[in-house]
Amino acid sequence: MTKNQIEENKGNILIVDDTPENLQVLSATLSDRGYKVRGVINGKMAIRAARSGSPDLILLDIKMPEMDGYEVCTQLKEDPKTSEIPVIFISALDEVLDKVTAFQVGGVDYVTKPFHVAEVLARIEHQLTIQRLKKQLLDRNTELQQEIIERKKAEEAAAAASLAKSQFVANMSHELRTPLNAILGFTQVMSRDSLLGHENLENLRIINRSGQHLLELINDVLDLSKIEAGIIGLDERSFDLYQLLDTLEEMFQIKAETKNLQLRFSMQANVPQYIKTDEKKLRVCLINLLGNAIKFTGNGGSIWLRASVEGKLQPAESEIDPNSRGAEQYLILFEVEDTGVGIVAAEIDTLFDAFVQTEAGKQAADGTGLGLTITKKYVEIMGGKIGLESILGEGTSFKFNIRVFPAISSEITVATLQRVIGLEPDQPVYRILAVDDNQENRLLLVKMLQPIGFELREAENGLQAVELWESWQPDLIWLDTRMPVMDGFEAVRQIRAKEKPTGRQTVIIALTASTFEERKGEIITAGCDDFVRKPFQEQILFDKMACYLEVRYLYQELPRLPVGALRRYCVNEKPDSFFGGLLAQMPQSWVQELYDAANDVNEELAIQLVDRIWESHPTLAEALKDLLADYRLDKIMDLTQSTLK
């Protein structure tokens, strides 16, 4: 065999034949065709050669002394080392029974002597091709098995990471919501004090609103994984846009004043007051952008929030809510502009990525790097886009638009303006058991419920709860789910197991700080009648007890038009952002006259000035007339003074 033939080896073949001439002919023929050939003259040698050399194929004669080809093949197939080697029988026997026997003992083909070389070569190549394909298939199968193993490992690691993340989120939810429950709860308790002055009452309301905002931000951070998974959708509701902007202006005004910032809200006159979209997501977007603007604007700077109608959309363009197709839509543009430090151009491309902060943000050592990420995702969920322009050292302008549907005032759900102050007479004394390992939360329940007329007792873990239930038999249990010694789930199971089937069942309502909605099923399955998520509003507690115990309450009507406060509840008064854009369109001389009239407390002159613009600017004139009807010359003076500046 030449060097080239060795290099071009097409396969290793073992020839077994007791006739040397046949060996020589086959060996020479196959060697010339590029095969590496080895020959033996009996069965025992064939078995040894096959075990030691591992040929790719065996050509096996049948009739041989001592051990025929059938026995050789049988032993080869019984040995794991040689069982996969294909065997082609070559024999002068041409009876059907001979061929059947050859296949029964494991042969893959049968060539009858005298043979044609071309036929033998074709059958050899055919079997070797099958072997190559089989090997490729086995190799690929091995690779796939390894990939499956690696994938299972990756899935197990991902599942472990997901479990760790879920446990972290659950723990964070509990740790953050628990103190917030006390903060928000005690502001409600303190606001009941009839001796509380108006200023302190308003301070409590600001604390409560800020706490509610903090709770929403906590929920957003905890739900970021759900946002990324695409399972947070659009919660469309009708609301008052003017009221939302007015509330935000009030919220940020104190922060702006501490840095001597000019905070201005303006809105085009054609922006609808009542709209339908996701109010919570819009509020979060504006709060994130306004918060950043105040954070990165130095003392004496300015911040503007502008709202305008970018255009109307055809009904067919609706992509937000398929059920709302056919309804008219507006594209409303919001812009938050500041005169702050600005953003380096190289940082703009990654600004909306999670946990990314600008150099200015890192220096401020404030924030999580999630605000703009959440804002962008929320804007996209609301059918809009967000972008920004920034000049380093001069300021930044964020702009985003959203799709909204017009709404009417009758669709707006107005918060109740009455408060529970006691129980109606001729009712039993209801026994309420407050179970929570957090002392502040237990105290909050006592402070909320005891003054109304409920009898309260406390337990700091599930074991105490079960013991008190047995000795005191409460009508209703407010039960925390996460506690030491014995958690709420085990406590409710033990109570339910001890209750008599024919007796009165104690109402058990779980108090949970979990952010996961799926916990509801677990809580109900454990035996609770209902659950309330922390932090809770006192009205929710009263409503639940009315539902399950049929409690009847005495109510106090809250004032609807407090003078000089709670302007968001005033029916006729519009927010400052409403007037800003309209007054800016008026001649400066007319605005100056109106300011002078208000400053001089000249109501008659102010009415004349408003009447003068009635035909040309009816929207502004009507709003100013409402202020005059409420004797709000003070506000007219503030509004005109801001415009003149």
Side-chain angles (χ1 to χ4, degrees), residues 526-555:
C528 292
D529 297 282
D530 206 339
F531 83 110
V532 171
R533 184 174 285 115
K534 299 175 184 177
F536 47 76
Q537 296 290 325
E538 62 177 12
Q539 189 59 46
I540 293 178
L541 301 186
F542 295 139
D543 290 344
K544 293 291 185 183
M545 289 188 289
C547 174
Y548 289 100
L549 300 180
E550 299 182 356
V551 180
R552 303 187 308 278
Y553 301 110
L554 297 174
Y555 294 93

mmCIF file of all heavy atoms in Angstrom, residues 526-555:
data_model
loop_
_atom_site.group_PDB
_atom_site.id
_atom_site.type_symbol
_atom_site.label_atom_id
_atom_site.label_comp_id
_atom_site.label_asym_id
_atom_site.label_seq_id
_atom_site.Cartn_x
_atom_site.Cartn_y
_atom_site.Cartn_z
ATOM 1 N N ALA A 526 -56.057 27.841 53.492
ATOM 2 C CA ALA A 526 -55.688 27.569 54.885
ATOM 3 C C ALA A 526 -56.884 27.662 55.822
ATOM 4 O O ALA A 526 -56.860 27.079 56.911
ATOM 5 C CB ALA A 526 -54.600 28.542 55.333
ATOM 6 N N GLY A 527 -57.934 28.397 55.409
ATOM 7 C CA GLY A 527 -59.128 28.480 56.248
ATOM 8 C C GLY A 527 -59.591 29.889 56.549
ATOM 9 O O GLY A 527 -60.587 30.077 57.266
ATOM 10 N N CYS A 528 -58.878 30.906 56.015
ATOM 11 C CA CYS A 528 -59.302 32.288 56.238
ATOM 12 C C CYS A 528 -60.525 32.606 55.383
ATOM 13 O O CYS A 528 -60.709 32.048 54.297
ATOM 14 C CB CYS A 528 -58.172 33.257 55.900
ATOM 15 S SG CYS A 528 -56.763 33.156 57.025
ATOM 16 N N ASP A 529 -61.359 33.518 55.883
ATOM 17 C CA ASP A 529 -62.540 33.938 55.123
ATOM 18 C C ASP A 529 -62.185 34.960 54.060
ATOM 19 O O ASP A 529 -62.852 35.047 53.024
ATOM 20 C CB ASP A 529 -63.582 34.538 56.078
ATOM 21 C CG ASP A 529 -64.091 33.505 57.081
ATOM 22 O OD1 ASP A 529 -64.924 32.683 56.679
ATOM 23 O OD2 ASP A 529 -63.636 33.525 58.227
ATOM 24 N N ASP A 530 -61.146 35.745 54.313
ATOM 25 C CA ASP A 530 -60.797 36.822 53.387
ATOM 26 C C ASP A 530 -59.389 37.292 53.740
ATOM 27 O O ASP A 530 -58.760 36.782 54.671
ATOM 28 C CB ASP A 530 -61.798 37.974 53.511
ATOM 29 C CG ASP A 530 -61.902 38.808 52.233
ATOM 30 O OD1 ASP A 530 -60.958 38.764 51.418
ATOM 31 O OD2 ASP A 530 -62.922 39.493 52.059
ATOM 32 N N PHE A 531 -58.879 38.253 52.974
ATOM 33 C CA PHE A 531 -57.583 38.824 53.327
ATOM 34 C C PHE A 531 -57.551 40.290 52.940
ATOM 35 O O PHE A 531 -58.269 40.744 52.052
ATOM 36 C CB PHE A 531 -56.437 38.059 52.656
ATOM 37 C CG PHE A 531 -56.152 38.481 51.241
ATOM 38 C CD1 PHE A 531 -54.994 39.176 50.927
ATOM 39 C CD2 PHE A 531 -57.040 38.189 50.217
ATOM 40 C CE1 PHE A 531 -54.734 39.574 49.637
ATOM 41 C CE2 PHE A 531 -56.784 38.572 48.922
ATOM 42 C CZ PHE A 531 -55.623 39.269 48.621
ATOM 43 N N VAL A 532 -56.717 41.053 53.639
ATOM 44 C CA VAL A 532 -56.493 42.468 53.369
ATOM 45 C C VAL A 532 -54.992 42.677 53.277
ATOM 46 O O VAL A 532 -54.241 42.190 54.123
ATOM 47 C CB VAL A 532 -57.092 43.364 54.480
ATOM 48 C CG1 VAL A 532 -56.649 44.813 54.294
ATOM 49 C CG2 VAL A 532 -58.612 43.268 54.476
ATOM 50 N N ARG A 533 -54.574 43.368 52.247
ATOM 51 C CA ARG A 533 -53.144 43.600 52.048
ATOM 52 C C ARG A 533 -52.692 44.851 52.775
ATOM 53 O O ARG A 533 -53.355 45.878 52.742
ATOM 54 C CB ARG A 533 -52.835 43.706 50.553
ATOM 55 C CG ARG A 533 -51.356 43.861 50.244
ATOM 56 C CD ARG A 533 -51.068 43.827 48.760
ATOM 57 N NE ARG A 533 -51.160 42.461 48.259
ATOM 58 C CZ ARG A 533 -52.069 42.050 47.385
ATOM 59 N NH1 ARG A 533 -52.973 42.887 46.934
ATOM 60 N NH2 ARG A 533 -52.082 40.805 46.966
ATOM 61 N N LYS A 534 -51.564 44.759 53.446
ATOM 62 C CA LYS A 534 -50.964 45.920 54.098
ATOM 63 C C LYS A 534 -50.197 46.744 53.069
ATOM 64 O O LYS A 534 -49.633 46.178 52.142
ATOM 65 C CB LYS A 534 -49.985 45.480 55.197
ATOM 66 C CG LYS A 534 -50.581 44.664 56.326
ATOM 67 C CD LYS A 534 -49.460 44.209 57.269
ATOM 68 C CE LYS A 534 -49.980 43.304 58.365
ATOM 69 N NZ LYS A 534 -48.887 42.799 59.226
ATOM 70 N N PRO A 535 -50.102 48.050 53.288
ATOM 71 C CA PRO A 535 -50.813 48.893 54.244
ATOM 72 C C PRO A 535 -52.282 49.019 53.844
ATOM 73 O O PRO A 535 -52.614 49.018 52.659
ATOM 74 C CB PRO A 535 -50.109 50.250 54.144
ATOM 75 C CG PRO A 535 -48.847 50.006 53.384
ATOM 76 C CD PRO A 535 -49.132 48.845 52.500
ATOM 77 N N PHE A 536 -53.162 49.134 54.839
ATOM 78 C CA PHE A 536 -54.589 49.162 54.552
ATOM 79 C C PHE A 536 -55.194 50.498 54.986
ATOM 80 O O PHE A 536 -54.679 51.181 55.860
ATOM 81 C CB PHE A 536 -55.311 48.015 55.274
ATOM 82 C CG PHE A 536 -54.931 47.875 56.716
ATOM 83 C CD1 PHE A 536 -55.406 48.749 57.686
ATOM 84 C CD2 PHE A 536 -54.074 46.859 57.120
ATOM 85 C CE1 PHE A 536 -55.053 48.619 59.014
ATOM 86 C CE2 PHE A 536 -53.708 46.722 58.459
ATOM 87 C CZ PHE A 536 -54.203 47.610 59.395
ATOM 88 N N GLN A 537 -56.302 50.858 54.356
ATOM 89 C CA GLN A 537 -57.085 52.014 54.758
ATOM 90 C C GLN A 537 -58.103 51.573 55.812
ATOM 91 O O GLN A 537 -58.661 50.473 55.732
ATOM 92 C CB GLN A 537 -57.813 52.614 53.544
ATOM 93 C CG GLN A 537 -56.884 53.170 52.471
ATOM 94 C CD GLN A 537 -56.166 54.423 52.921
ATOM 95 O OE1 GLN A 537 -56.720 55.230 53.659
ATOM 96 N NE2 GLN A 537 -54.925 54.583 52.485
ATOM 97 N N GLU A 538 -58.350 52.438 56.774
ATOM 98 C CA GLU A 538 -59.276 52.067 57.848
ATOM 99 C C GLU A 538 -60.661 51.740 57.308
ATOM 100 O O GLU A 538 -61.354 50.866 57.846
ATOM 101 C CB GLU A 538 -59.372 53.183 58.882
ATOM 102 C CG GLU A 538 -59.900 54.496 58.356
ATOM 103 C CD GLU A 538 -60.030 55.549 59.441
ATOM 104 O OE1 GLU A 538 -59.506 55.345 60.557
ATOM 105 O OE2 GLU A 538 -60.659 56.573 59.182
ATOM 106 N N GLN A 539 -61.052 52.401 56.218
ATOM 107 C CA GLN A 539 -62.381 52.151 55.667
ATOM 108 C C GLN A 539 -62.513 50.711 55.180
ATOM 109 O O GLN A 539 -63.593 50.116 55.236
ATOM 110 C CB GLN A 539 -62.675 53.132 54.524
ATOM 111 C CG GLN A 539 -64.116 53.094 54.023
ATOM 112 C CD GLN A 539 -65.123 53.409 55.118
ATOM 113 O OE1 GLN A 539 -64.953 54.361 55.875
ATOM 114 N NE2 GLN A 539 -66.173 52.606 55.214
ATOM 115 N N ILE A 540 -61.396 50.133 54.702
ATOM 116 C CA ILE A 540 -61.431 48.738 54.254
ATOM 117 C C ILE A 540 -61.733 47.818 55.432
ATOM 118 O O ILE A 540 -62.517 46.862 55.317
ATOM 119 C CB ILE A 540 -60.091 48.360 53.591
ATOM 120 C CG1 ILE A 540 -59.898 49.145 52.289
ATOM 121 C CG2 ILE A 540 -60.025 46.866 53.317
ATOM 122 C CD1 ILE A 540 -58.579 48.870 51.607
ATOM 123 N N LEU A 541 -61.124 48.098 56.584
ATOM 124 C CA LEU A 541 -61.398 47.278 57.768
ATOM 125 C C LEU A 541 -62.871 47.356 58.151
ATOM 126 O O LEU A 541 -63.508 46.341 58.444
ATOM 127 C CB LEU A 541 -60.532 47.743 58.946
ATOM 128 C CG LEU A 541 -59.014 47.725 58.773
ATOM 129 C CD1 LEU A 541 -58.343 48.067 60.097
ATOM 130 C CD2 LEU A 541 -58.526 46.382 58.273
ATOM 131 N N PHE A 542 -63.408 48.586 58.166
ATOM 132 C CA PHE A 542 -64.815 48.754 58.531
ATOM 133 C C PHE A 542 -65.731 48.047 57.535
ATOM 134 O O PHE A 542 -66.725 47.425 57.920
ATOM 135 C CB PHE A 542 -65.159 50.240 58.606
ATOM 136 C CG PHE A 542 -64.428 50.970 59.719
ATOM 137 C CD1 PHE A 542 -63.912 52.235 59.511
ATOM 138 C CD2 PHE A 542 -64.269 50.389 60.958
ATOM 139 C CE1 PHE A 542 -63.241 52.902 60.523
ATOM 140 C CE2 PHE A 542 -63.600 51.045 61.985
ATOM 141 C CZ PHE A 542 -63.078 52.307 61.762
ATOM 142 N N ASP A 543 -65.408 48.141 56.264
ATOM 143 C CA ASP A 543 -66.241 47.496 55.237
ATOM 144 C C ASP A 543 -66.223 45.979 55.392
ATOM 145 O O ASP A 543 -67.264 45.317 55.249
ATOM 146 C CB ASP A 543 -65.747 47.886 53.840
ATOM 147 C CG ASP A 543 -66.035 49.350 53.507
ATOM 148 O OD1 ASP A 543 -66.861 49.958 54.209
ATOM 149 O OD2 ASP A 543 -65.425 49.871 52.559
ATOM 150 N N LYS A 544 -65.049 45.399 55.676
ATOM 151 C CA LYS A 544 -64.956 43.950 55.840
ATOM 152 C C LYS A 544 -65.777 43.484 57.048
ATOM 153 O O LYS A 544 -66.486 42.472 56.981
ATOM 154 C CB LYS A 544 -63.493 43.529 56.007
ATOM 155 C CG LYS A 544 -62.629 43.736 54.774
ATOM 156 C CD LYS A 544 -62.995 42.799 53.643
ATOM 157 C CE LYS A 544 -62.040 42.958 52.473
ATOM 158 N NZ LYS A 544 -62.419 42.110 51.310
ATOM 159 N N MET A 545 -65.691 44.229 58.141
ATOM 160 C CA MET A 545 -66.437 43.831 59.339
ATOM 161 C C MET A 545 -67.939 44.000 59.132
ATOM 162 O O MET A 545 -68.738 43.209 59.646
ATOM 163 C CB MET A 545 -65.951 44.635 60.542
ATOM 164 C CG MET A 545 -64.544 44.227 60.983
ATOM 165 S SD MET A 545 -64.000 44.979 62.543
ATOM 166 C CE MET A 545 -63.767 46.668 62.004
ATOM 167 N N ALA A 546 -68.323 45.011 58.368
ATOM 168 C CA ALA A 546 -69.743 45.174 58.053
ATOM 169 C C ALA A 546 -70.239 44.013 57.206
ATOM 170 O O ALA A 546 -71.367 43.534 57.365
ATOM 171 C CB ALA A 546 -69.959 46.500 57.324
ATOM 172 N N CYS A 547 -69.366 43.538 56.312
ATOM 173 C CA CYS A 547 -69.750 42.439 55.421
ATOM 174 C C CYS A 547 -69.908 41.124 56.184
ATOM 175 O O CYS A 547 -70.898 40.415 56.001
ATOM 176 C CB CYS A 547 -68.704 42.293 54.314
ATOM 177 S SG CYS A 547 -68.944 40.869 53.237
ATOM 178 N N TYR A 548 -68.954 40.802 57.058
ATOM 179 C CA TYR A 548 -68.940 39.486 57.702
ATOM 180 C C TYR A 548 -69.692 39.452 59.028
ATOM 181 O O TYR A 548 -70.186 38.393 59.427
ATOM 182 C CB TYR A 548 -67.491 39.020 57.900
ATOM 183 C CG TYR A 548 -66.813 38.637 56.613
ATOM 184 C CD1 TYR A 548 -65.944 39.514 55.968
ATOM 185 C CD2 TYR A 548 -67.054 37.404 56.015
ATOM 186 C CE1 TYR A 548 -65.320 39.164 54.776
ATOM 187 C CE2 TYR A 548 -66.439 37.045 54.822
ATOM 188 C CZ TYR A 548 -65.575 37.932 54.203
ATOM 189 O OH TYR A 548 -64.970 37.587 53.021
ATOM 190 N N LEU A 549 -69.747 40.589 59.731
ATOM 191 C CA LEU A 549 -70.430 40.606 61.030
ATOM 192 C C LEU A 549 -71.751 41.367 60.996
ATOM 193 O O LEU A 549 -72.465 41.425 61.999
ATOM 194 C CB LEU A 549 -69.518 41.244 62.093
ATOM 195 C CG LEU A 549 -68.179 40.556 62.354
ATOM 196 C CD1 LEU A 549 -67.399 41.315 63.420
ATOM 197 C CD2 LEU A 549 -68.384 39.111 62.763
ATOM 198 N N GLU A 550 -72.053 41.989 59.850
ATOM 199 C CA GLU A 550 -73.268 42.807 59.695
ATOM 200 C C GLU A 550 -73.276 43.969 60.691
ATOM 201 O O GLU A 550 -74.313 44.313 61.271
ATOM 202 C CB GLU A 550 -74.525 41.948 59.837
ATOM 203 C CG GLU A 550 -74.622 40.852 58.778
ATOM 204 C CD GLU A 550 -75.899 40.038 58.889
ATOM 205 O OE1 GLU A 550 -76.674 40.284 59.836
ATOM 206 O OE2 GLU A 550 -76.126 39.170 58.021
ATOM 207 N N VAL A 551 -72.097 44.538 60.910
ATOM 208 C CA VAL A 551 -71.976 45.694 61.793
ATOM 209 C C VAL A 551 -72.606 46.910 61.115
ATOM 210 O O VAL A 551 -72.468 47.112 59.905
ATOM 211 C CB VAL A 551 -70.493 45.981 62.105
ATOM 212 C CG1 VAL A 551 -70.363 47.184 63.032
ATOM 213 C CG2 VAL A 551 -69.849 44.749 62.724
ATOM 214 N N ARG A 552 -73.287 47.744 61.894
ATOM 215 C CA ARG A 552 -73.875 48.989 61.387
ATOM 216 C C ARG A 552 -73.176 50.163 62.060
ATOM 217 O O ARG A 552 -72.988 50.167 63.286
ATOM 218 C CB ARG A 552 -75.380 49.035 61.649
ATOM 219 C CG ARG A 552 -76.137 47.856 61.040
ATOM 220 C CD ARG A 552 -77.641 48.023 61.184
ATOM 221 N NE ARG A 552 -78.070 48.298 62.549
ATOM 222 C CZ ARG A 552 -78.241 47.382 63.486
ATOM 223 N NH1 ARG A 552 -78.015 46.098 63.196
ATOM 224 N NH2 ARG A 552 -78.649 47.715 64.710
ATOM 225 N N TYR A 553 -72.814 51.166 61.258
ATOM 226 C CA TYR A 553 -71.995 52.262 61.761
ATOM 227 C C TYR A 553 -72.758 53.583 61.818
ATOM 228 O O TYR A 553 -73.749 53.784 61.099
ATOM 229 C CB TYR A 553 -70.755 52.463 60.876
ATOM 230 C CG TYR A 553 -69.856 51.263 60.773
ATOM 231 C CD1 TYR A 553 -69.762 50.537 59.582
ATOM 232 C CD2 TYR A 553 -69.087 50.854 61.859
ATOM 233 C CE1 TYR A 553 -68.928 49.441 59.479
ATOM 234 C CE2 TYR A 553 -68.251 49.747 61.759
ATOM 235 C CZ TYR A 553 -68.175 49.041 60.566
ATOM 236 O OH TYR A 553 -67.355 47.955 60.469
ATOM 237 N N LEU A 554 -72.224 54.482 62.643
ATOM 238 C CA LEU A 554 -72.604 55.893 62.619
ATOM 239 C C LEU A 554 -71.521 56.637 61.849
ATOM 240 O O LEU A 554 -70.328 56.357 62.005
ATOM 241 C CB LEU A 554 -72.704 56.452 64.043
ATOM 242 C CG LEU A 554 -73.769 55.825 64.951
ATOM 243 C CD1 LEU A 554 -73.628 56.379 66.373
ATOM 244 C CD2 LEU A 554 -75.172 56.093 64.403
ATOM 245 N N TYR A 555 -71.938 57.575 61.004
ATOM 246 C CA TYR A 555 -70.989 58.279 60.135
ATOM 247 C C TYR A 555 -70.978 59.771 60.428
ATOM 248 O O TYR A 555 -71.972 60.352 60.870
ATOM 249 C CB TYR A 555 -71.342 58.077 58.653
ATOM 250 C CG TYR A 555 -71.189 56.652 58.179
ATOM 251 C CD1 TYR A 555 -72.271 55.770 58.207
ATOM 252 C CD2 TYR A 555 -69.970 56.195 57.697
ATOM 253 C CE1 TYR A 555 -72.135 54.463 57.762
ATOM 254 C CE2 TYR A 555 -69.825 54.887 57.244
ATOM 255 C CZ TYR A 555 -70.912 54.026 57.282
ATOM 256 O OH TYR A 555 -70.770 52.743 56.840
#
